[in-house]
Each structure stands twice: as structure tokens, then as C-alpha cells.
Amino acid sequence: MYDFDKLAEKALGGVELTNEEALAVLQCPDDELLLLLHAAYRVRKHFYGNKVKLNMIINTKSGLCPENCGYCAQSIVSKAPIEKYSMMKKDEIVEGAKRAAKLNAGTYCIVASGRGPASRELDIVASAVKEIKEEYRHMTVCACLGILKPEQAEKLKEAGVDRYNHNINTSSQHHSNITTSHTYDDRVNTVGIVKNSGISPCSGVIIGMKETLEDVIDMARSLRILDTDSIPVNFLHAIDGTPLEGTDELNPRYCLKVLCLFRFINPSKEIRISGGREVNLRSLQPLGLYPANSIFIGDYLTTEGQEGLADKQMLEDMGFAVDLEPLDREIAKAL
């Protein structure tokens, strides 16, 4: 029986796991999974208590993407029958923030397909964010618009964007097996540009794309080096019509082990269970909240999420409470 509590002590002490220890987490015997989850929860509880952060996505531009990412229904190589539309109007994006507020989502994520934003698209997002910030001072606004230039990041920062998401998605070694229309370094450079602008960096991964265990460990370590504040962990929901159609490598127990690994290697960071949560964790979704402290509510980009009331019930059943963002706390104190 492996002593996973020693890994919790290392994580809490700021010491990174060895490769052997990381492999032990991913290869944890199923009958020791609860012991692993307990150790990971010790770390999660130290930094986040029993709170869960809620995030909501709006897909402001669907499809029409020139990139060839093998997992994505919106890419140029995808034959998936998805809805395609150009950039939403500003008022539609602002209306989405109202829905997020009603769902008690602390973070509103404005996402658009494409390699990077055109000037017109950036102007629409910046204008919408300014209006959202005027009406919802408490709401964290995250943008995910693709590869950024420094001046574009500065414009988003001036508009009031709090966080910017640009996932590394996979390891540097495996990246060319997933897409060739941009490089791994393109993604890492965008995270650096975001950090330099003063926006909180968000970057995560997609698990289940035929990567090795060593690739998964490398992803977790890379995000530790990048020092991103928020780490979305997606589990591949293979969509018919994409190059990864039919890929089915995951089971709920392995997904939980991956979440524990990311918690141990990035102990103080927001670990968010993201796309594919419902279809891969299935009945074990609640257990994911022991290592992770954040989830998406509502639908994803081209796939449906769990019904909102079910998420609310899940949190209540587990004894978790919705985490208020820092600005929420300031407002609460003022009331």
C-alpha cells in the first residue's frame, strides 16, 4: 500500500513530486483510490477549504477556424455537424453575463474560435467587457480568443479582462500529433504575453488524446513552470467527425487519479474540472471535487453540460459551498 500522505506533505511543503511518485499516482491501484483522494483533499482543503468556484462559458464565435486541432469540432478538418456563426454582437455577450450572474458563476468566460482575434472581434469583446464590468463589478471576466499579440493583451487588460485562457492542451512531445497549424511554443508564448500584460493566466490540458502517462506528468510540470493561476483539466469527449473520433481511453477512476496528480504538482492553483466531466467521470463526478476546486456550469463550446440544478444538488450533497471571488467578498463586506 502506497503512502500517499507523504505526497500531500511534499506538496504542502512546496516540494515537487519525483517522476516515480507521479507515476505512482497515475498507476494507483483502484482499491487504494480513496486513500489517494484523501491525500489530495488535504492539499485542496489547505488552500481552498470546502469552497467550489463556478465558471460559465459563452461561445461567441463558433466554427470557422483555420486550425487543424484533432480534438475540436470547430476546426477546419472537422466534419462534425455543429452550428457555425461569426462573432456575436456586444449586446449578446453582455446578456450572457446576466445569465452567468443568475447562475451564481463567479467567472464568465468569453470564448471565440479561431487562430487569434481580428481587430473587429477584439473591439467587440473589449466593448462588451467594459459594459459587463460596469454592471457586474464582482464578476471575474475571462477571455479565450486564441493566440495574442502584446498590444492585443494590453487592450483586453485596459477593457477590464481579469483572466485569459490559452491551454497548452498536451505535452510538447505529443503536440504535433494533435495539431500542426501552430506550435506548442505558440501557446506558451501567448501565456507569457498574458502574464506580462498583468492579466491572470489560465492554461490547461485535454486528457485522453492518446498521450502517455509521461506526457500527462509533463503537462502538469509545464503548468507549474508557467505558474498559471487557473488550470482547466478537460477529459476528451471525442466528437464524431473529428480526427479523434472514436477515441475512448478514459475511465472515471483514471480521471480522478489525473486530478490528484495535478493537485499535488500545482498545489495552490485553481484546478477546474472542465470539458468531458459528465461523460468521463460519470457517477464519480462528486469525487472529483476532492482534488479539484472549480467546475464549469452550463454547456461547453459544442457539447452539452450537466443540468444546472444537478450541479447545485451535487455541491449540496457533498457539503461544498460556492466560492465567492475576491471582489464578491468585498461587496459582501460592504452590505
Side-chain angles (χ1 to χ4, degrees), residues 212-276:
T212 65
L213 297 183
E214 288 76 16
D215 284 324
V216 176
I217 295 168
D218 182 75
M219 294 179 221
R221 294 199 193 286
S222 296
L223 292 169
R224 182 184 177 102
I225 293 170
L226 285 174
D227 194 28
T228 58
D229 297 327
S230 178
I231 301 175
V233 179
N234 299 275
F235 298 103
L236 181 67
H237 182 175
I239 299 172
D240 290 347
T242 64
L244 286 172
E245 173 184 346
T247 304
D248 184 17
E249 301 184 332
L250 304 176
N251 65 63
R253 302 174 306 286
Y254 176 69
C255 293
L256 292 173
K257 296 167 192 178
V258 169
L259 291 170
C260 289
L261 177 71
F262 274 76
R263 174 56 67 199
F264 287 136
I265 293 182
N266 298 278
S268 66
K269 303 304 184 181
E270 177 183 338
I271 306 294
R272 184 182 317 125
I273 316 176
S274 301

Side-chain angles (χ1 to χ4, degrees), residues 66-261:
E67 303 296 290
N68 65 355
C69 304
Y71 54 84
C72 185
Q74 303 185 80
S75 78
I76 194 169
V77 296
S78 170
K79 298 178 181 177
I82 63 166
E83 185 180 5
K84 298 179 181 180
Y85 50 84
S86 58
M87 195 71 185
M88 286 181 174
K89 296 179 181 178
K90 180 194 74 171
D91 291 346
E92 293 176 291
I93 299 174
V94 173
E95 185 63 30
K98 294 180 181 179
R99 293 195 299 273
K102 289 180 180 179
L103 290 171
N104 205 23
T107 301
Y108 178 52
C109 306
I110 300 171
V111 184
S113 67
R115 180 179 176 84
S119 296
R120 171 183 168 274
E121 295 167 343
L122 197 72
D123 288 343
I124 291 173
V125 171
S127 179
V129 171
K130 288 178 182 178
E131 188 169 328
I132 291 167
K133 281 296 187 177
E134 288 175 0
E135 189 166 355
Y136 302 103
R137 292 183 299 122
H138 63 286
M139 183 175 287
T140 295
V141 176
C142 177
C144 179
L145 312 174
I147 296 171
L148 281 186
K149 300 174 183 177
E151 61 271 20
Q152 293 176 317
E154 292 294 339
K155 185 166 187 174
L156 291 173
K157 172 65 176 178
E158 292 172 3
V161 170
D162 303 289
R163 180 175 294 166
Y164 193 88
N165 167 260
H166 197 60
N167 294 333
I168 59 170
N169 284 329
T170 192
S171 70
S172 57
Q173 301 91 328
H174 191 52
H175 186 270
S176 62
N177 296 321
I178 303 303
T179 180
T180 57
S181 54
H182 60 267
T183 67
Y184 180 84
D185 287 341
D186 286 333
R187 290 187 168 273
V188 170
N189 290 340
T190 290
V191 175
I193 287 171
V194 167
K195 292 179 72 172
N196 290 337
S197 74
I199 296 175
S200 170
C202 171
S203 187
V205 299
I206 305 173
I207 303 296
M209 299 193 296
K210 304 181 180 180
E211 71 278 349
T212 65
L213 297 183
E214 288 76 16
D215 284 324
V216 176
I217 295 168
D218 182 75
M219 294 179 221
R221 294 199 193 286
S222 296
L223 292 169
R224 182 184 177 102
I225 293 170
L226 285 174
D227 194 28
T228 58
D229 297 327
S230 178
I231 301 175
V233 179
N234 299 275
F235 298 103
L236 181 67
H237 182 175
I239 299 172
D240 290 347
T242 64
L244 286 172
E245 173 184 346
T247 304
D248 184 17
E249 301 184 332
L250 304 176
N251 65 63
R253 302 174 306 286
Y254 176 69
C255 293
L256 292 173
K257 296 167 192 178
V258 169
L259 291 170
C260 289
L261 177 71

